[in-house]
Amino acid sequence: MPPALRSRPFRWIGSLYSAALVLEWVGSIALMVLVYEHTQSTTAAAVLLVCKQVVPGALIPLAGATLDRLPLVRTLSVSFVVQATFVFCMAALGVGPLLFVLAAFAGFSGGIIRSLLRAGVARALPDDLLVSGNAVINIAMGLAGFAGPALGAALVSVGGSQLALQVVAAGLALCGTLAVFLPAVETRTASSEASPSDASEAASFEDDAVPMLPLAGLLGLVGFVTCVFAMDEPALLAFSEKALGAGVGGYSAIIIAWGIGITLGSLLFTRLTHWPLLRVYVVATALAGLGYVGLGLAPSITIACLVAVVGGIGNGMDWVAIVTLVQRAAPRGREAWAATRLEAVATAGPGLGVLAGGILADAVSPRASIVIPGLLALSALLIAAAFLRLRAPRRPVSSRPAREAKDLSPSIHGGQA
């Protein structure tokens, strides 16, 4: 990771990304509490989720080509300020029909910000440092997953949901101001030369064989997996109470155990940067899928927490591998175009999964609601592997010509670029 951290633009982008993630957590918690406290309706909370995630997820890809034509630094700064404005309006107006409209706009602008930051990483770092850079951001995401909810809960408890939203708006406005000073990253950085210490790893890749997968196919697989991995959320508390007899304390313990696993997975990824990234994603997704299955079959809260750590390790590696693959596959000058498609998957997939999980939780037992998502994810991996075997036979990396800047096709290579 140190080589990536030596890049000044990347340090700025990583700092803004971390701040945006923490603020996103705080804002989401404050909004959900605000709506539920005023309506006492889970349906209203579900509608808010659709407005904030699913609707923006469907619209964000439409902005991809436009974002690539705009100056990244200026657009990022303006996007932060625009999102801050929407969040401040939600804090001022409180619950009402307009809140859901504002939530959709805030969700859309947040997705634009994350897309621009991912595009910025792809432009700030050469291809051979993307894994290292994304490993840094992945660890920051894990830390934000702890800090964001803790800060959100503290602010809501002390000052209420509307005060928490005002703090988020102020934080976003500050990020927009700081983004003005981001060093220019308007063009993609040329690949750096491999250091002598990387020679043995480079040689091992020449002997490796990796599959090729169309970008659309990969995003379709990832979208399905992110959707099913969110299906457990409506049933997890009921699972802890009814199946394990552990109540709210057991529910919290499972969440904490999964979070510990995510942190461990983030650290493990930094030791697997020499692996082909598609292999990392498959192994990580398989671990997470097995984690869901094992969690649903666990006979006690102790076993459930141990299995949750294993599943979390997979979740700590799968997303960062996909982000890096998509960044490398993006044609030069179209980094934001690729990032918006990835953001659509990351935004809409979990939202749809929670809605589907709520329906599933009412139809089957709590245990089945946890096991089924894991089985669906594992089945998707097996189907994708069979498809690759039939449609994209494996071939050695050394037989492929090096990719030129003008010849980047929208396909995914599992090995290092």
Side-chain angles (χ1 to χ4, degrees):
M1 292 187 291
L5 288 170
R6 283 195 286 268
S7 168
R8 184 166 173 262
F10 173 75
R11 292 197 302 270
W12 271 89
I13 292 170
S15 299
L16 290 172
Y17 201 104
S18 301
L21 288 172
V22 171
L23 293 171
E24 178 69 23
W25 270 109
V26 176
S28 295
I29 290 172
L31 275 176
M32 293 298 284
V33 172
L34 179 65
V35 170
Y36 188 75
E37 282 184 345
H38 280 75
T39 64
Q40 296 296 309
S41 169
T42 55
T43 301
V47 172
L48 176 67
L49 181 67
V50 171
C51 292
K52 188 174 181 296
Q53 290 189 223
V54 179
V55 173
L59 298 177
I60 286 171
L62 301 178
T66 301
L67 293 178
D68 279 316
R69 293 193 294 266
L70 297 173
L72 187 144
V73 173
R74 189 183 308 166
T75 308
L76 179 62
S77 178
V78 171
S79 298
F80 269 120
V81 174
V82 168
Q83 189 184 27
T85 303
F86 287 131
V87 174
F88 180 80
C89 290
M90 287 190 288
L93 294 175
V95 178
L98 187 57
L99 176 73
F100 296 88
V101 177
L102 292 171
F105 281 111
F108 180 80
S109 55
I112 294 297
I113 289 170
R114 290 185 293 274
S115 298
L116 289 170
L117 289 169
R118 290 195 186 104
V121 171
R123 294 177 185 179
L125 296 176
D127 282 359
D128 50 354
L129 290 184
L130 279 177
V131 176
S132 299
N134 284 322
V136 174
I137 291 178
N138 196 45
I139 292 175
M141 289 176 63
L143 296 175
F146 286 108
L151 179 59
L155 288 173
V156 170
S157 299
V158 172
S161 300
Q162 288 174 288
L163 174 63
L165 289 173
Q166 290 172 356
V167 172
V168 171
L172 290 169
L174 177 60
C175 288
T177 303
L178 294 175
V180 174
F181 302 97
L182 174 66
V185 284
E186 303 305 331
T187 58
R188 198 162 181 173
T189 303
S191 295
S192 62
E193 295 183 2
S195 63
S197 61
D198 294 331
S200 60
E201 292 184 355
S204 69
F205 288 127
E206 290 299 320
D207 296 329
D208 199 4
V210 296
M212 294 182 64
L213 186 65
L215 179 57
L218 179 68
L219 291 179
L221 172 64
V222 174
F224 179 80
V225 170
T226 56
C227 177
V228 300
F229 276 170
M231 289 173 61
D232 70 302
E233 293 187 25
L236 193 56
L237 179 57
F239 167 73
S240 176
E241 291 180 339
K242 297 179 181 179
L244 299 179
V248 177
Y251 169 77
S252 299
I254 292 172
I255 296 296
I256 291 171
W258 201 281
I260 291 172
I262 289 175
T263 303
L264 294 174
S266 300
L267 296 173
L268 178 59
F269 180 80
T270 67
R271 311 304 301 171
L272 299 178
T273 54
H274 60 287
W275 277 30
L277 290 168
L278 192 57
R279 183 190 301 169
V280 174
Y281 175 73
V282 170
V283 171
T285 304
L287 277 177
L290 291 172
Y292 279 96
V293 174
L295 179 63
L297 299 177
S300 66
I301 185 60
T302 302
I303 300 299
C305 288
L306 291 175
V307 174
V309 172
V310 175
I313 290 173
N315 274 164
M317 297 188 294
D318 56 358
W319 184 248
V320 63
I322 287 303
V323 169
T324 310
L325 282 168
V326 172
Q327 286 171 334
R328 284 180 170 173
R332 293 190 187 278
R334 301 190 70 189
E335 293 85 5
W337 171 86
T340 52
R341 277 142 183 80
L342 185 63
E343 180 61 28
V345 168
T347 302
L352 292 172
V354 170
L355 295 177
I359 297 172
L360 180 66
D362 289 334
V364 300
S365 68
R367 283 192 182 275
S369 297
I370 307 298
V371 173
I372 289 174
L375 293 176
L376 289 174
L378 293 173
S379 299
L381 284 181
L382 292 175
I383 293 172
F387 176 82
L388 281 176
R389 185 174 293 275
L390 290 174
R391 301 293 298 273
R394 297 166 69 88
R395 54 179 176 158
V397 172
S398 57
S399 67
R400 294 200 304 266
R403 294 197 307 175
E404 299 292 338
K406 62 182 179 181
D407 191 33
L408 283 172
S409 58
S411 61
I412 293 297
H413 298 267
Q416 299 283 10

